[in-house]
Amino acid sequence: MPEPMYRLIADDLQRKIETGQLGPGDQLPTEIELRDEYQASRNTVRDAVKWLIGRGLVETRPGQGTFVVEKIDPFVTSLSTGVESGFGGESAAYASEVAARRRVPTVTPPRVEIQQVDGVIASELGLEQGSAIVGRHQQRYIDDTPWSLQTSFYPMRFVELGATQLIQAQNIVDVVRYLEERLSIKQVGWRDKITVRPPNQNEAAFFKLPEDGRVAVFEILETGFDERGQPIRLTVSIYPTDRNQFAVVVGEVPDDGLP
Amino acid sequence: MPEPMYRLIADDLQRKIETGQLGPGDQLPTEIELRDEYQASRNTVRDAVKWLIGRGLVETRPGQGTFVVEKIDPFVTSLSTGVESGFGGESAAYASEVAARRRVPTVTPPRVEIQQVDGVIASELGLEQGSAIVGRHQQRYIDDTPWSLQTSFYPMRFVELGATQLIQAQNIVDVVRYLEERLSIKQVGWRDKITVRPPNQNEAAFFKLPEDGRVAVFEILETGFDERGQPIRLTVSIYPTDRNQFAVVVGEVPDDGLP
DNA sequence: GCAAATTTGTTCGTATGTATT
DNA sequence: CAATACATACGAACAAATTTG
């Protein structure tokens, strides 16, 4: 029961990549050349290349060739600061982190939706199925490249109590502060849940992810709570895993490296 | 420029899965049946199935068939508590989280290595390239299924100063406390960095991940600091992304759901 | 326990389409 | 427009894993 040939070819190419014989950005031999080199059929070398693609080691460009992937300089987001709190808010949450690298962040005005809660959102916000909520969807960019998709949900009750800006399609600089000033609802803590899953069609399109679905996305649920322990907001953020990194700071830690 | 046929087949099958026409665990028609149903060749329906595998929607079992994947009940790990601190330590860090689900955690005795630092480890521990460090590698299981690979690194200097248990291949119940009692080195905070990457061969084998490399792993770097802001340890933990979830709690948050 | 049937996995050859240079 | 390189599609044969009789 020997290893199949496409695996042997893939392992050999992988070795050449890991030993630096093929560096980032380098072009691999063409499928025809590989076919002759390994004495296999073109379909078999294609299987080998697909294996390497699945490992995230190479990428193919139609009409050009197959290339060793170049690693992306990751962007770091701190969760200890809160996606939407502190210095943050819908428009400026990440300004400090971005500034350190001289990158230019932008955010779209929110698309506002009013809907009935279900499933996860209901359970996170402690609402009954069918209650009305406000959803504010935004797209965030860094240097004009798509960075994250973010949606914040609030109970519709907040609007009825007077927080009418929640249903307007305009940025709110700091929602947490707005809720405090308008409704005296004060956020005293929050909780993040971090998962990783394959992107849906929307996300793959927005982030321009390769169609083969090998790049997964982070899904971060951040629930904010008031003094009485009641959930007051839920922010769902999506980030591609190939260009993002998260940091958590607990206790006393020196200021180095992280913003 | 129409959509290729394998995509049309994949989209149709995906629709059947998402509408519940094919539920979790259900077997898809065999490749031969799909070939007849869609009037395509077997290789083309196989391409469609591969597409769905890449999306994490189905899995194939040689000799059996193709099945809709069943979602795994995820393990939740809190980062606000520290992978190796508080109630934790090498042996018990996750006991509380696991206990809530009546799962049985186990951990192997550490494999101890002494080596010279390089790259990331040196930079995280603030050591010069070539300094000596101790690495303690452990494998952690839940209910006998592989759960995480964890390695903690400490400066060799700690051993020379008297923390000799660090180079013994036995569990240390709470390393943080041991360092404090033995060397008066007190951890006052820590920082986690969370990334996602494809598994290496070691990791894929240990976690029994599907060979096609579609399941990525979390890599969590946790650096602990003492009162003077000096790094005193680096713990690198690896978890498969398909069965793990992380939580971060900041400020006052009610005790519900999470340990 | 073994043999047959079923199902997916690997490999080849070939032809044609699409993207890029 | 032509040449090059990867993408899609078909047909065929045999191998390997699993279940069934």
Side-chain angles (χ1 to χ4, degrees):
Chain A
M1 183 193 54
E3 286 285 281
M5 189 184 317
Y6 78 94
R7 285 293 309 278
L8 297 176
I9 298 173
D11 289 349
D12 191 56
L13 290 171
Q14 177 164 1
R15 189 183 49 74
K16 288 184 178 172
I17 292 170
E18 286 170 349
T19 60
Q21 211 172 127
L22 284 167
D26 284 0
Q27 178 170 7
L28 270 65
T30 68
E31 293 173 351
I32 302 299
E33 289 167 339
L34 290 173
R35 179 196 63 181
D36 297 340
E37 182 178 341
Y38 292 103
Q39 300 279 310
S41 77
R42 185 175 156 231
N43 277 331
T44 299
V45 307
R46 276 178 62 77
D47 282 344
V49 170
K50 279 180 203 157
W51 175 270
L52 295 175
I53 291 176
R55 293 286 167 302
L57 294 173
V58 304
E59 62 185 356
T60 55
R61 302 178 205 145
Q64 296 188 46
T66 304
F67 301 84
V68 181
V69 297
E70 306 191 59
K71 213 178 163 189
I72 305 174
D73 179 27
F75 186 74
V76 184
T77 302
S78 169
L79 293 177
S80 320
T81 334
V83 190
E84 194 179 22
S85 60
F87 284 53
E90 283 175 349
S91 57
Y94 48 103
S96 60
E97 301 153 25
V98 176
R101 293 167 176 268
R102 292 200 197 81
R103 288 172 168 171
V104 182
T106 53
V107 61
T108 61
R111 176 171 55 79
V112 179
E113 281 184 350
I114 296 169
Q115 54 189 262
Q116 299 194 330
V117 272
D118 67 331
V120 184
I121 305 176
S123 118
E124 286 293 325
L125 284 177
L127 297 174
E128 299 200 354
Q129 302 274 336
S131 308
I133 52 167
V134 182
R136 297 168 62 84
H137 306 260
Q138 290 182 300
Q139 303 172 334
R140 300 191 289 169
Y141 296 81
I142 292 180
D143 288 346
D144 299 321
T145 65
W147 177 47
S148 93
L149 286 169
Q150 186 166 300
T151 306
S152 291
F153 298 98
Y154 308 88
M156 192 62 192
R157 192 168 51 81
F158 287 3
V159 178
E160 293 156 3
L161 289 173
T164 51
Q165 277 192 39
L166 286 180
I167 52 171
Q168 286 172 22
Q170 291 179 7
N171 257 320
I172 303 175
V173 180
D174 188 336
V175 177
V176 170
R177 184 192 298 171
Y178 174 69
L179 290 178
E180 186 170 351
E181 290 172 352
R182 202 79 182 80
L183 305 179
S184 299
I185 291 176
K186 188 175 166 61
Q187 173 178 293
V188 297
W190 66 83
R191 180 187 58 211
D192 290 291
K193 289 182 182 174
I194 308 164
T195 54
V196 167
R197 59 165 175 77
N200 64 32
Q201 223 150 11
N202 247 342
E203 294 157 351
F206 174 67
F207 293 117
K208 298 182 177 55
L209 299 180
E211 283 216 316
D212 54 28
R214 84 176 171 282
V215 177
V217 294
F218 287 103
E219 179 177 271
I220 300 198
L221 304 185
E222 183 168 288
T223 311
F225 297 89
D226 66 8
E227 300 103 321
R228 297 173 306 154
Q230 293 300 309
I232 59 175
R233 70 172 173 95
L234 168 65
T235 301
V236 181
S237 305
I238 309 294
Y239 304 81
T241 55
D242 65 348
R243 63 196 82 158
N244 285 284
Q245 173 176 131
F246 293 89
V248 176
V249 172
V250 179
E252 298 170 34
V253 169
D255 273 3
D256 62 278
L258 293 177
Chain B
M1 185 191 54
E3 286 285 280
M5 191 184 313
Y6 79 94
R7 285 293 308 277
L8 297 175
I9 298 172
D11 289 349
D12 191 56
L13 290 171
Q14 177 165 0
R15 190 183 48 74
K16 287 184 178 172
I17 292 169
E18 286 171 350
T19 61
Q21 211 173 128
L22 284 166
D26 284 359
Q27 178 169 8
L28 270 65
T30 68
E31 292 173 352
I32 301 298
E33 289 167 339
L34 290 173
R35 179 195 64 180
D36 297 340
E37 183 178 341
Y38 291 104
Q39 299 280 307
S41 77
R42 181 173 161 232
N43 277 331
T44 299
V45 307
R46 277 177 63 76
D47 283 344
V49 170
K50 280 179 201 157
W51 176 270
L52 295 174
I53 290 175
R55 294 286 167 303
L57 294 173
V58 305
E59 63 185 356
T60 55
R61 300 176 207 148
Q64 297 188 48
T66 304
F67 301 83
V68 181
V69 298
E70 305 190 60
K71 212 179 159 188
I72 304 174
D73 179 27
F75 302 117
V76 182
T77 302
S78 170
L79 292 178
S80 321
T81 332
V83 189
E84 195 179 19
S85 61
F87 283 56
E90 284 177 347
S91 58
Y94 48 102
S96 59
E97 301 152 25
V98 176
R101 294 167 176 269
R102 292 200 198 80
R103 287 169 169 171
V104 183
T106 53
V107 62
T108 61
R111 176 170 56 79
V112 178
E113 282 183 350
I114 296 169
Q115 55 191 259
Q116 299 194 330
V117 272
D118 67 331
V120 184
I121 304 177
S123 120
E124 286 293 326
L125 284 178
L127 297 174
E128 298 199 357
Q129 303 274 336
S131 308
I133 53 167
V134 183
R136 298 169 61 84
H137 306 262
Q138 291 183 300
Q139 302 172 335
R140 300 192 290 168
Y141 295 81
I142 291 180
D143 289 346
D144 299 321
T145 65
W147 178 46
S148 93
L149 286 168
Q150 186 166 298
T151 305
S152 290
F153 297 98
Y154 308 89
M156 191 61 191
R157 191 169 52 81
F158 287 4
V159 178
E160 294 154 4
L161 290 173
T164 50
Q165 278 192 39
L166 286 180
I167 52 171
Q168 287 171 22
Q170 291 179 8
N171 258 320
I172 303 175
V173 179
D174 188 335
V175 176
V176 170
R177 184 193 297 170
Y178 174 68
L179 290 179
E180 187 171 350
E181 290 172 351
R182 204 77 183 76
L183 305 179
S184 299
I185 291 176
K186 188 175 164 62
Q187 173 178 294
V188 297
W190 64 84
R191 180 187 59 211
D192 291 291
K193 289 183 183 175
I194 308 165
T195 55
V196 167
R197 58 165 174 77
N200 63 32
Q201 223 150 9
N202 247 344
E203 294 156 352
F206 174 67
F207 293 118
K208 296 181 177 58
L209 300 179
E211 284 217 317
D212 54 27
R214 85 175 170 282
V215 177
V217 294
F218 287 104
E219 178 177 271
I220 300 197
L221 304 185
E222 184 169 286
T223 310
F225 297 88
D226 67 9
E227 299 104 321
R228 296 174 306 151
Q230 293 300 309
I232 58 175
R233 70 172 174 97
L234 169 65
T235 301
V236 180
S237 306
I238 309 294
Y239 305 80
T241 55
D242 65 348
R243 64 195 82 159
N244 285 284
Q245 178 176 126
F246 294 90
V248 176
V249 172
V250 179
E252 298 170 35
V253 169
D255 274 1
D256 60 276
L258 293 178

